[in-house]
Amino acid sequence: MPLKTKTVLVCTGVAFALSVWYFKKTPSSLSSPALKQKSPKLVNKENTITKAPPHNASVSAPGKVLVAGGYTVLEQPNVGLVLASTARFHTDINSLPISQSMVKSFVSPIKRRNSTLSPTKSIPSSTPNSIPIQLNSPQFKSIYHFMLNFHPSNECLPTLVTTSTNLSNAAKNPYIETTLIVAFSYCQSVLGCEKFSKIFNENCKNDFVEITLKADNDFYSQLNYLKKNSLEVTIENLKGVPKYNACDVVYGEDGKVGVSKTGMGSSAALITSLSGAVVRFCGVACSDFPSVVHNLAQLSHCYAQGKVGSGFDVSSAAYGSHIYTRFSPDIISELISKTKERGGLPSPRDLFNCVQRTWDQTVAPILLPDNCYLLMADVCGGSDTPSMAKKVLAWRADENDNEGNLWERLIEANEEVVRKMLVLHQHHELDGGSELINDIGQMTSNQWDTLKIDCEGEEENMVSVVCELRGSFLTVRKLLKEIGEQAGVPIEPESQSKLADLTMKLPGVLVCGVPGAGGYDALFAIVLGEEAREGVLGFWEKCDGVCPLLGTSSATGLEY
């Protein structure tokens, strides 16, 4: 069955157009022609695969920043503007011989709760139908050994049994375990039982599968590392932090891991890179690799979280920076409802069909213009995003918004941000656009109107667009803060408002605010020109409890 998807990657040469949403909802007077812009990259570092599987695989996926569309992106057909980051989550998979000393690591299961997904039928216990897996997470100082037991006739999902770990009180990691079960099950369905069994029962019958997970430092707070080493918070000191630096991990009594994150979407990037690596390791040929991985990762993410989210974070991990409209929740919720009738578990056939069916999300590539920079800061606060979203949606369901119409106004403001960002691309592509961006970036926003008076023609139009875009971003901030106050959710807490407002007074700052669902854990800014970039990073270095991140925006989604 060929993969079907309505994912829109609207590119013609170096030109790109808007999403299906834009053509349907934008008045004809505002419809945008194709804009000259580099399309998001899906980087394939290998042109062909020649040897029989399994293949050593290395796949990475980026983090994300949702700069417009917080909360409203949960509903179709509302848009979100999501920028991928240069920070990436990496998964490496190899097949290695099992040494005599390792055999015992794969023998006896340890007592842990069952994985998120388990089979409805018993799997024959014969040893040949098992895949020994060693999972290394050096940043979390953890090593897990699993046995993935698969049904020789693919009549039920594989089971994943933990046989050993170096942790004394290890809880399950639903993101990793669910992804392994879903991805390997899909590969067995695509390859067929005979070929899948041959890979693991013949081609590497004396081997184990080694999986190594690594994340760039921007995903996790480095404030404690700098403090422990008596280092000031500076960009230079952050550049000196060891690559894939070990995290400050706290294990609770239940074995769950506690770590300070920076709000970059580490879980989505992990699941997406791991899904892609398993598919490539098994040698599954895909005509549209990013879409297959996207669908697998969305399924795994929803099962691991126990709910169907908007999916923008997984979409960005697969496709890079883009304008996003979510897929219909029924695509996954129908599967979950169906599988609840069997004890909460999909059959391999249902899972395969869900990945292969038509998905109706829209993805229109976009990237900030040259000389515009996305900046992120870790404020080391931490927020419970799922519970925040639940409260906001409960507020909306109670129809408390009738008088202020805040929700509809926020939808319109987000659409205006997208429109103005696209128009900015048009003007930036004209001769002198980059130089004008630099000129604007050397001034504070209250000087931009004066600059507009001194310009004419397209330059005047470009300055006007910059001013209007800043105003649209401010409207989004204002409405999100009001909704948070009414819903009893700290979408933009006062401490974040003060920091964002001070940042926006600096030269060249187009916008500064809290990304996505908001809260205490992160701040983003979009700045114009290199001088503005250095100015904001220097300011953040001096703020207590604030740590700039090293990354910026990127067009690139999956790399493999």
Side-chain angles (χ1 to χ4, degrees):
M1 181 186 299
L3 176 71
K4 297 179 180 180
T5 178
K6 284 188 178 179
T7 301
V8 180
L9 290 172
V10 194
C11 302
T12 306
V14 294
F16 81 100
L18 302 182
S19 64
V20 172
W21 156 82
Y22 193 73
F23 288 118
K24 286 183 177 179
K25 297 191 68 175
T26 305
S28 58
S29 60
L30 291 178
S31 295
S32 173
L35 305 178
K36 293 180 180 179
Q37 175 62 30
K38 297 176 182 177
S39 61
K41 302 173 184 176
L42 303 169
V43 179
N44 182 353
K45 296 179 180 177
E46 300 175 15
N47 293 323
T48 58
I49 297 175
T50 55
K51 73 182 186 70
H55 308 297
N56 293 346
S58 294
V59 177
S60 68
K64 54 71 190 169
V65 180
L66 185 68
V67 300
Y71 295 102
T72 58
V73 77
L74 287 162
E75 300 176 353
Q76 288 180 318
N78 303 331
V79 296
L81 176 57
V82 58
L83 299 178
S85 169
T86 51
R88 305 186 71 82
F89 211 107
H90 309 261
T91 299
D92 299 321
I93 306 185
N94 304 289
S95 178
L96 299 172
I98 297 180
S99 65
Q100 192 63 37
S101 61
M102 287 188 66
V103 172
K104 61 182 181 181
S105 298
F106 296 107
V107 176
S108 301
I110 62 175
K111 292 182 179 180
R112 296 167 73 237
R113 290 173 293 173
N114 290 333
S115 181
T116 306
L117 302 176
S118 301
T120 51
K121 295 184 178 181
S122 60
I123 293 180
S125 58
S126 53
T127 304
N129 296 315
S130 298
I131 304 172
I133 298 173
Q134 176 176 295
L135 188 135
N136 307 318
S137 181
Q139 285 164 287
F140 287 80
K141 307 178 184 70
S142 63
I143 299 173
Y144 285 87
H145 293 98
F146 302 110
M147 288 298 283
L148 185 87
N149 304 310
F150 62 92
H151 196 287
S153 301
N154 198 23
E155 294 180 22
C156 61
L157 289 182
T159 58
L160 190 71
V161 179
T162 306
T163 55
S164 69
T165 177
N166 65 327
L167 304 177
S168 59
N169 185 24
K172 71 183 179 99
N173 184 317
Y175 294 104
I176 292 173
E177 297 180 23
T178 302
T179 302
L180 289 174
I181 292 170
V182 168
F184 275 106
S185 174
Y186 174 79
C187 292
Q188 186 180 16
S189 295
V190 173
L191 296 172
C193 298
E194 182 177 349
K195 186 174 182 179
F196 187 81
S197 296
K198 183 178 180 180
I199 292 172
F200 296 103
N201 292 343
E202 296 181 24
N203 297 2
C204 56
K205 63 180 178 180
N206 296 318
D207 295 348
F208 71 98
V209 176
E210 181 186 57
I211 302 175
T212 301
L213 307 176
K214 298 174 293 185
D216 289 342
N217 289 338
D218 271 0
F219 283 102
Y220 304 111
S221 177
Q222 303 300 322
L223 279 168
N224 284 342
Y225 174 86
L226 296 176
K227 185 177 180 180
K228 287 179 180 178
N229 289 275
S230 302
L231 296 171
E232 295 181 353
V233 178
T234 67
I235 294 297
E236 287 306 310
N237 285 338
L238 286 166
K239 289 179 180 178
V241 174
K243 195 172 184 178
Y244 311 129
N245 191 33
C247 299
D248 285 324
V249 181
V250 177
Y251 292 97
E253 293 182 0
D254 56 359
K256 290 186 177 180
V257 175
V259 64
S260 294
K261 299 182 180 182
T262 59
M264 296 288 289
S266 58
S267 297
L270 158 64
I271 287 177
T272 306
S273 67
L274 179 56
S275 297
V278 170
V279 169
R280 286 187 62 78
F281 177 77
C282 291
V284 173
C286 301
S287 59
D288 188 353
F289 179 72
S291 291
V292 168
V293 174
H294 167 270
N295 297 357
L296 283 170
Q298 293 284 17
L299 266 174
S300 298
H301 203 236
C302 290
Y303 266 106
Q305 287 191 321
K307 67 182 184 66
V308 182
S310 69
F312 76 85
D313 43 6
V314 169
S315 185
S316 179
Y319 298 114
S321 298
H322 60 271
I323 303 163
Y324 175 74
T325 301
R326 70 157 305 145
F327 58 87
S328 298
D330 288 348
I331 290 175
I332 295 179
S333 62
E334 285 177 0
L335 178 64
I336 293 176
S337 297
K338 184 188 295 185
T339 58
K340 280 182 179 177
E341 298 171 5
R342 307 191 189 106
L345 310 165
S347 69
R349 173 55 56 181
D350 287 341
L351 190 151
F352 172 78
N353 288 340
C354 186
V355 174
Q356 298 295 109
R357 65 172 290 183
T358 298
W359 288 55
D360 59 350
Q361 76 276 8
T362 59
V363 175
I366 191 170
L367 186 63
L368 295 178
D370 293 340
N371 293 348
C372 292
Y373 299 95
L374 171 72
L375 305 179
M376 286 285 290
D378 164 31
V379 295
C380 211
S383 303
D384 186 356
T385 300
S387 65
M388 291 171 65
K390 187 176 181 180
K391 289 180 180 179
V392 170
L393 293 178
W395 163 84
R396 172 157 162 69
D398 288 341
E399 298 183 352
N400 292 322
D401 189 29
N402 290 336
E403 184 176 347
N405 204 23
L406 295 176
W407 192 261
E408 293 301 322
R409 287 162 57 195
L410 179 58
I411 292 171
E412 293 172 2
N414 286 326
E415 292 176 358
E416 191 65 20
V417 165
V418 171
R419 289 193 192 99
K420 295 302 180 185
M421 186 66 75
L422 291 164
V423 174
L424 180 62
H425 272 283
Q426 289 179 291
H427 292 295
H428 173 266
E429 291 295 327
L430 300 173
D431 290 341
S434 294
E435 290 80 2
L436 185 55
I437 286 286
N438 283 329
D439 291 341
I440 299 172
Q442 296 173 29
M443 302 177 180
T444 57
S445 60
N446 57 11
Q447 297 174 303
W448 293 350
D449 285 332
T450 303
L451 177 63
K452 185 167 59 175
I453 295 173
D454 296 333
C455 296
E456 58 184 22
E458 290 298 336
E459 288 188 348
E460 180 182 359
N461 292 337
M462 185 171 178
V463 178
S464 295
V465 170
V466 169
C467 294
E468 292 166 4
L469 183 54
R470 178 184 169 96
S472 297
F473 270 121
L474 285 172
T475 300
V476 169
R477 271 189 61 190
K478 179 176 180 292
L479 291 170
L480 277 171
K481 191 173 180 70
E482 287 186 46
I483 289 173
E485 290 170 351
Q486 290 196 17
V489 175
I491 295 177
E492 186 177 295
E494 193 59 33
S495 59
Q496 294 282 63
S497 293
K498 289 179 180 178
L499 182 57
D501 290 342
L502 288 171
T503 302
M504 290 194 70
K505 292 179 180 179
L506 299 173
V509 179
L510 181 63
V511 64
C512 184
V514 291
Y520 292 93
D521 57 358
L523 202 70
F524 82 92
I526 297 175
V527 301
L528 311 175
E530 181 62 32
E531 287 189 27
R533 175 181 175 275
E534 293 177 358
V536 170
L537 293 175
F539 170 68
W540 283 349
E541 287 176 347
K542 297 180 177 68
C543 296
D544 291 337
V546 177
C547 183
L549 304 184
L550 297 178
T552 186
S553 63
S554 169
T556 309
L558 283 164
E559 288 187 355
Y560 51 98

